Amino acid sequence: DVKVTQSSRYLVKRTGEKVFLECVQDMDHENMFWYRQDPGLGLRLIYFSYDVKMKEKGDIPEGYSVSREKKERFSLILESASTNQTSMYLCASTWSGELFFGEGSRLTVL
Amino acid sequence: SQKIEQNSEALNIQEGKTATLTCNYTNYSPAYLQWYRQDPGRGPVFLLLIRENEKEKRKERLKVTFDTTLKQSLFHITASQPADSATYLCALSGDMRFGAGTRLTVKP
């Protein structure tokens, strides 16, 4: 069965901390995505990657960076967390077409 | 860039009725369009994909239409059940952007 695993379901961090959100997929998918989801705003694309060591900015990349050192792993990094980054973060992967999502990581920044 | 609009933030219907959700986009027609279901606190789950050369696609009680002239997709759930209550999202191919979603509530 297809699986996308996000390392943490719930995190609480302090303003200014560096935060790593990890995502691993076991389907050998080329394409991986990071979204954030906020009430009324839906899913917004932060970054995506079509291959190892490759990354592209989405609609809201400010304050975030990503790392894709291995095909199966796509990490989202908040260099200096701020309260407006409190959100649900969703990782997804696809070979072509159907997206497979992780369960999400709910981040609270105090 | 593409703007994707789902016409209702929330839709309430009675059990047994047909739910119809709308997804509109503004610019180029995507090669295909997808619909997802999301339950509270969970990641979205893929339901259906329809290609630009397909007018209609069905899967059990679900039906999706795709009108590239109107730049619109309709998502229907027939004989709706309370278990169908969830948020439904549409997404365009290529850049994988999503609409904001429609929260469907089916009342018994």
Side-chain angles (χ1 to χ4, degrees):
Chain A
D1 225 8
V2 161
K3 202 156 177 69
V4 177
T5 303
Q6 293 185 230
S7 54
S8 306
R9 286 298 306 273
Y10 301 95
L11 302 97
V12 178
K13 298 291 182 182
R14 296 208 173 273
T15 301
E17 277 193 77
K18 191 168 185 175
V19 182
F20 292 87
L21 299 178
E22 306 285 346
C23 176
V24 178
Q25 49 98 357
D26 65 358
M27 298 160 283
D28 203 36
H29 284 165
E30 301 284 344
N31 310 316
M32 297 187 74
F33 302 79
W34 274 106
Y35 297 87
R36 67 176 280 177
Q37 187 172 32
D38 302 286
L41 296 177
L43 283 157
R44 291 182 291 164
L45 183 62
I46 305 171
Y47 267 98
F48 58 99
S49 169
Y50 289 147
D51 203 351
V52 175
K53 295 197 186 293
M54 186 246 136
K55 59 187 177 186
E56 294 284 346
K57 292 180 181 178
D59 297 323
I60 51 164
E62 298 78 20
Y64 304 94
S65 62
V66 289
S67 172
R68 184 123 183 245
E69 294 296 318
K70 293 185 177 181
K71 191 175 187 180
E72 68 269 19
R73 188 181 296 269
F74 192 35
S75 303
L76 181 69
I77 304 155
L78 287 66
E79 295 288 342
S80 178
S82 63
T83 54
N84 63 12
Q85 292 178 308
T86 291
S87 187
M88 168 71 94
Y89 290 88
L90 288 157
C91 173
S93 74
T94 184
W95 177 68
S96 65
E98 175 185 350
L99 280 172
F100 294 89
F101 281 87
E103 289 294 337
S105 298
R106 184 166 291 284
L107 172 67
T108 301
V109 183
L110 302 175
Chain B
S1 61
Q2 281 274 26
K3 193 173 179 187
I4 306 159
E5 291 177 343
Q6 294 188 243
N7 66 329
S8 305
E9 191 173 322
L11 179 66
N12 298 317
I13 64 166
Q14 209 64 37
E15 183 175 8
K17 301 290 187 186
T18 295
T20 298
L21 287 65
T22 305
C23 177
N24 295 289
Y25 56 93
T26 54
N27 297 339
Y28 59 88
S29 283
Y32 55 85
L33 187 147
Q34 302 176 45
W35 284 89
Y36 290 78
R37 169 185 172 136
Q38 186 176 25
D39 292 291
R42 311 294 298 271
V45 174
F46 172 80
L47 294 174
L48 279 168
L49 179 153
I50 184 164
R51 302 188 186 282
E52 61 179 337
N53 61 350
E54 296 174 316
K55 295 289 184 208
E56 182 180 296
K57 200 121 179 225
R58 290 175 187 261
K59 180 182 174 182
E60 298 170 355
R61 294 185 295 111
L62 308 181
K63 184 178 90 170
V64 173
T65 62
F66 193 5
D67 188 326
T68 55
T69 303
L70 293 178
K71 296 187 177 180
Q72 181 180 82
S73 174
L74 298 179
F75 177 81
H76 307 273
I77 306 175
T78 58
S80 60
Q81 303 166 2
D84 295 325
S85 298
T87 296
Y88 292 87
L89 303 156
C90 69
L92 305 187
S93 66
D95 56 14
M96 299 312 299
R97 260 73 171 184
F98 282 79
T102 298
R103 189 174 66 252
L104 174 68
T105 303
V106 181
K107 297 181 187 296

